[in-house]
Amino acid sequence: MTRDDAIKLLNCTYSELADKLKLSTAAVARWANRELPYDREYEILELAAGRIPKRLLKAEKNLSQANN
């Protein structure tokens, strides 16, 4: 899967893809149009299926704890 494939699958923009994956836009930019890292591809497929990947759940939990 390429970055453009992921954008089409999730029906989002480049920056929205970064937000959904809790990554910087610079990190997403480095992928250019190469194959995505396996763990990111897994997360994208999970999001497309309506599930939240474990790393993203953990990131959300850490963010909410930091805000309290």
Side-chain angles (χ1 to χ4, degrees):
M1 173 184 299
T2 65
R3 180 183 61 198
D4 289 344
D5 294 335
I7 288 170
K8 287 177 188 173
L9 181 63
L10 294 177
N11 192 30
C12 63
T13 66
Y14 173 83
S15 61
E16 289 171 339
L17 178 61
D19 288 342
K20 288 176 185 282
L21 295 173
K22 307 289 189 245
L23 299 172
S24 68
T25 53
V28 174
R30 284 191 290 253
W31 297 337
N33 223 12
R34 301 178 313 209
E35 291 292 312
L36 299 183
Y38 176 75
D39 51 345
R40 299 299 162 249
E41 183 174 346
Y42 164 78
E43 291 173 348
I44 291 163
L45 292 172
E46 286 291 292
L47 289 170
R51 297 182 291 266
I52 300 175
K54 192 179 284 189
R55 181 187 68 86
L56 301 181
L57 282 173
K58 189 174 180 180
E60 288 178 10
K61 181 180 176 185
N62 289 341
L63 183 61
S64 67
Q65 288 176 347
N67 290 332
N68 288 332

